[in-house]
Amino acid sequence: MIKYRNTLEGVTPTMLDGFFVGWPSHPDNGRFLDILKGSAAVWLAFDDGRCVGFVNALSDGVYYSYIPLLEVLPEYQGRGIGTDLVRRMKESLKDMYAIDICCDDGVVPFYQRLGFFRGNSMIARNFDKQGG
């Protein structure tokens, strides 16, 4: 039974193993927890105490929010956990004018099903900093 929560209380770096699959470089679990702590909002999915998914948002708290990360552990994908996490995050951000996401083409249909639409975006990345 998947349980969801929007607090980091009691979350430790060791509970965050297994994310960032396929990334050539990624934050270690301690830095990952720092990312979540620095977020305006987070939702986490747990299965028997194990974190199996998360989503975070950055925001000015008034007008604009951005969802930079959504991940579900590979063995838990396809069960609706990502959908539940995004729906919960959208509810948390319901008073914002804008909720933006930049994503790869392969997941555009996923976000469209959740009420997002295509827009233009420009991004800059410092890939040497990808590991945090």
Side-chain angles (χ1 to χ4, degrees):
M1 173 100 167
I2 303 299
K3 295 184 179 179
Y4 297 90
R5 64 186 226 207
N6 62 350
T7 177
L8 295 170
E9 186 177 333
V11 175
T12 64
T14 57
M15 297 170 77
L16 301 174
D17 283 334
F19 293 101
F20 303 104
V21 173
W23 287 42
S25 177
H26 60 81
D28 64 34
N29 289 358
R31 198 68 167 146
F32 176 21
L33 185 56
D34 290 340
I35 290 167
L36 296 178
K37 287 179 179 178
S39 300
V42 297
W43 277 96
L44 305 156
F46 287 89
D47 182 21
D48 196 29
R50 179 183 184 200
C51 184
V52 299
F54 74 93
V55 64
N56 72 316
L58 308 176
S59 178
D60 59 23
V62 177
Y63 188 75
Y64 191 84
S65 56
Y66 172 67
I67 298 174
L69 296 169
L70 165 68
E71 291 214 25
V72 175
L73 293 178
E75 61 269 31
Y76 285 85
Q77 292 175 7
R79 300 184 193 183
I81 296 169
T83 297
D84 286 344
L85 287 166
V86 172
R87 285 185 177 146
R88 289 166 189 270
M89 183 59 77
K90 282 183 72 177
E91 178 63 22
S92 293
L93 302 172
K94 69 182 177 193
D95 293 327
M96 297 284 122
Y97 162 71
I99 304 171
D100 290 354
I101 296 172
C102 288
C103 64
D104 295 332
D105 286 337
V107 293
V108 166
F110 169 79
Y111 288 111
Q112 285 176 325
R113 284 192 305 272
L114 293 168
F116 292 88
F117 57 90
R118 277 190 181 268
N120 294 327
S121 68
M122 300 299 295
I123 62 172
R125 297 287 188 265
N126 297 317
F127 287 106
D128 62 322
K129 308 283 189 225
Q130 190 176 32

